[in-house]
Amino acid sequence: QKEVEQDPGPLSVPEGAIVSLNCTYSNSAFQYFMWYRQYSRKGPELLMYTYSSGNKEDGRFTAQVDKSSKYISLFIRDSQPSDSATYLCAMSVSNYGQNFVFGPGTRLSVLP
Amino acid sequence: GAVVSQHPSWVICKSGTSVKIECRSLDFQATTMFWYRQFPKQSLMLMATSNEGSKATYEQGVEKDKFLINHASLTLSTLTVTSAHPEDSSFYICSASPLGVSSYNEQFFGPGTRLTVL
């Protein structure tokens, strides 16, 4: 079993749809959870950062963490064509200088 | 703020040659820099972690003699792919963590370097 699993997609949705992206993990020691967006041939950019369980909202993006189920989600409301990218979840155990474990990424296409 | 640059953005080289990739934190000092490799349609795979002034820590399966990492200053780390072969062709991405204890584990990623070995 991989440490972090993520549906690779591709996921295609119409513009304006609500998108749900998910990751599951096996290491219960993970406490810090990140979502990155990566456009083709570019480096990842941080979208959301959460610690432990709960929800966090930032504009059209909402991140959820359920540590009991080892499951995290990223919701995108009112999706736009510019949201088309690969979304990577990442996790770490500690909060300083710790390398992340990345999921394989989900390719999202938002169709106009 | 928190910009990380990489140079070159792409490079094509002949098999057997060595290629150096630079990673710079432009507006902050980085205690730790990470080097990742990403194959098409796959996720980032950590190759090594480097701390300024000390030897890099390589992930299992990564040849330290082939992928030389030098973290000479708090703003610069270099990855040298020695005796490159076509199977080394990949997208190499660095990230940097700011100096000092942060409120959370920050990593800022560079734009990546695409290496093609002929």
Side-chain angles (χ1 to χ4, degrees):
Chain A
Q1 182 188 12
K2 291 183 180 178
E3 206 165 9
V4 179
E5 307 233 29
Q6 189 175 4
D7 187 338
L11 175 63
S12 294
V13 301
E15 183 175 356
I18 296 174
V19 177
S20 173
L21 303 167
N22 311 295
C23 285
T24 58
Y25 61 95
S26 57
N27 186 353
S28 58
F30 287 137
Q31 295 193 79
Y32 300 86
F33 305 92
M34 284 69 66
W35 285 96
Y36 285 84
R37 177 174 62 197
Q38 185 178 23
Y39 293 110
S40 181
R41 301 182 179 233
K42 300 290 185 184
E45 55 177 322
L46 180 66
L47 281 178
M48 298 286 286
Y49 175 97
T50 52
Y51 167 68
S52 194
S53 287
N55 294 359
K56 184 175 182 179
E57 188 173 321
D58 184 1
R60 295 186 296 112
F61 299 92
T62 299
Q64 285 186 352
V65 175
D66 182 350
K67 290 190 68 180
S68 62
S69 301
K70 299 191 183 71
Y71 186 89
I72 68 170
S73 300
L74 177 70
F75 298 96
I76 307 174
R77 291 184 299 280
D78 188 24
S79 56
Q80 304 294 311
S82 58
D83 295 327
S84 298
T86 296
Y87 290 80
L88 303 161
C89 63
M91 310 175 187
S92 69
V93 172
S94 74
N95 71 329
Y96 179 65
Q98 177 70 43
N99 58 284
F100 297 160
V101 178
F102 281 87
T106 298
R107 283 197 299 135
L108 170 67
S109 292
V110 181
L111 307 174
Chain B
V3 178
V4 176
S5 70
Q6 277 184 246
H7 178 80
S9 56
W10 59 270
V11 57
I12 302 172
C13 69
K14 291 182 178 180
S15 184
T17 60
S18 295
V19 174
K20 180 185 283 188
I21 302 171
E22 291 186 350
C23 176
R24 292 182 185 272
S25 55
L26 297 185
D27 50 3
F28 66 96
Q29 292 181 319
T31 47
T32 306
M33 288 185 169
F34 303 91
W35 286 96
Y36 295 85
R37 181 167 51 185
Q38 186 177 33
F39 291 106
K41 299 186 179 181
Q42 295 187 27
S43 189
L44 283 74
M45 297 299 297
L46 180 67
M47 298 175 67
T49 302
S50 74
N51 292 293
E52 185 266 341
S54 62
K55 290 184 178 180
T57 302
Y58 290 81
E59 294 299 300
Q60 192 173 13
V62 178
E63 300 174 58
K64 61 180 181 181
D65 294 331
K66 180 170 183 63
F67 298 100
L68 301 178
I69 291 173
N70 184 8
H71 195 156
S73 75
L74 287 172
T75 60
L76 173 64
S77 176
T78 59
L79 168 69
T80 301
V81 183
T82 62
S83 186
H85 291 282
E87 58 265 30
D88 298 324
S89 299
S90 187
F91 194 50
Y92 291 87
I93 305 176
C94 72
S95 71
S97 280
L99 180 66
V101 177
S102 176
S103 60
Y104 61 91
N105 191 5
E106 297 176 274
Q107 282 192 38
F108 299 98
F109 285 83
T113 296
R114 182 159 302 281
L115 170 64
T116 301
V117 185
L118 303 177

